[in-house]
């Protein structure tokens, strides 16, 4: 009986792996399409739109408004295509895992966000990450997305504050990015990591709805997990775990 159950489990695992492989192949085919066939006509729309705008003296206000909305939509479509292309390349274009100085990587990330932090009058605190194992560039992207979200979804009555901390448990490193922003209903704590998932309208907060999905895919590539604890009006804390070494994978 146990042998039969084991064989069934192995067959199910084989089928799941085959489906995952097929899904990855489809994603790669889309990536090729997105990088060539989809972007070329979009570039032409933007090019001719720019030409019309440069010679738009004869346009009335209504037509000028239509043209601006068309160009804004083209720009948004371009960002979506680039975001999906980036998402599809996480596994294929990732670098090999190795140990690196997490504090140095975090400092570089904060430097990239320097203008955003200054303009929003945000305060960013960190207790240090220590040594981190993984793809440095991809994990910096996770940190950048989470910190940027903590600043972007700030509460109007207080300046943004983001705290980054870490804890080592057994064979994993757990990183926490806590903010004092608007938070959200915990009911959406899993849904928020889906592709294109947005809890707020585009007019309220800019973005493509890809940031957290990209974070999740990167963390999963590192054999880790990502989750959030949140409450409406009380901010959010995003956690992600990473193996501390190759032996922990």
């Amino acid at each position: 009986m146990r042998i039969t159950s084991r064989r069934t489990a192995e067959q199910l695992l084989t089928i799941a792996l085959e489906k995952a492989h097929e899904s990855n192949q489809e994603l790669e085919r889309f990536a090729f399409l997105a990088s060539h066939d989809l972007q070329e006509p979009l570039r032409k729309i933007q090019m001719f739109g720019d030409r019309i705008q440069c010679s738009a003296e004869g346009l009335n206000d209504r037509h000028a408004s239509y043209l601006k909305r068309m160009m804004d939509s083209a720009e948004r479509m371009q960002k979506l295509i680039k975001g999906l292309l980036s998402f599809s390349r996480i596994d294929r274009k990732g670098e090999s895992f190795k140990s690196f100085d997490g504090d140095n990587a975090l400092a570089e990330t904060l430097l990239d966000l320097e203008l955003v932090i200054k303009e929003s009058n945000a305060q960013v605190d960190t207790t240090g990450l220590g040594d981190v194992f993984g793809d440095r560039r991809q994990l910096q992207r996770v940190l950048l997305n989470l910190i940027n979200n903590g600043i972007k979804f700030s509460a109007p009555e207080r300046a943004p504050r983001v705290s980054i901390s870490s804890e080592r448990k057994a064979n994993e490193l757990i990183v926490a990015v806590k903010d004092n922003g608007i938070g959200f209903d915990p009911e959406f704590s899993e849904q928020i990591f889906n592709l294109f998932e947005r809890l707020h309208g585009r007019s309220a907060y800019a973005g493509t709805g890809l940031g957290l999905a990209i974070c999740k895919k990167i963390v999963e590539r590192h054999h880790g997990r990502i989750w959030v604890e949140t409450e409406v009006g009380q901010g959010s804390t995003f956690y992600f775990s990473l193996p501390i070494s190759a032996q922990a994978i």
Side-chain angles (χ1 to χ4, degrees), residues 32 34 49 70 73 98 104 110 126 141 143 168 194 202:
F32 179 82
M70 182 192 78
S73 295
K98 58 184 178 181
N104 179 264
L110 293 177
T126 175
R141 187 172 185 183
L143 288 169
R168 294 179 188 274
N194 294 338
R202 290 195 302 270

Side-chain angles (χ1 to χ4, degrees), residues 155-222:
E157 68 274 11
R158 54 183 178 265
R161 181 169 184 174
V162 180
S163 302
I164 303 107
S165 60
S166 66
E167 182 181 3
R168 294 179 188 274
K169 288 185 176 181
N171 290 323
E172 65 180 3
L173 169 70
I174 299 176
V175 180
V177 180
K178 180 179 181 180
D179 66 63
N180 66 340
I182 59 175
F184 57 91
D185 191 330
E187 177 186 351
F188 301 105
S189 293
E190 294 185 11
Q191 182 180 333
I192 198 171
F193 294 102
N194 294 338
L195 276 171
F196 301 119
E197 194 63 53
R198 298 177 62 95
L199 302 184
H200 310 280
R202 290 195 302 270
S203 59
Y205 297 95
T208 60
L210 284 164
L212 289 177
I214 287 173
C215 288
K216 181 181 179 183
K217 191 169 178 65
I218 289 173
V219 171
E220 288 179 345
R221 180 186 173 232
H222 285 75

Side-chain angles (χ1 to χ4, degrees), residues 99-113:
S99 294
F100 61 89
D101 185 337
D103 296 324
N104 179 264
L106 177 57
E108 289 179 358
T109 303
L110 293 177
L111 192 60
D112 290 338
L113 288 167

Side-chain angles (χ1 to χ4, degrees), residues 27-38:
L27 198 56
E28 287 189 16
R29 284 195 291 270
F30 169 79
F32 179 82
L33 178 66
S35 62
H36 296 85
D37 296 355
L38 292 181

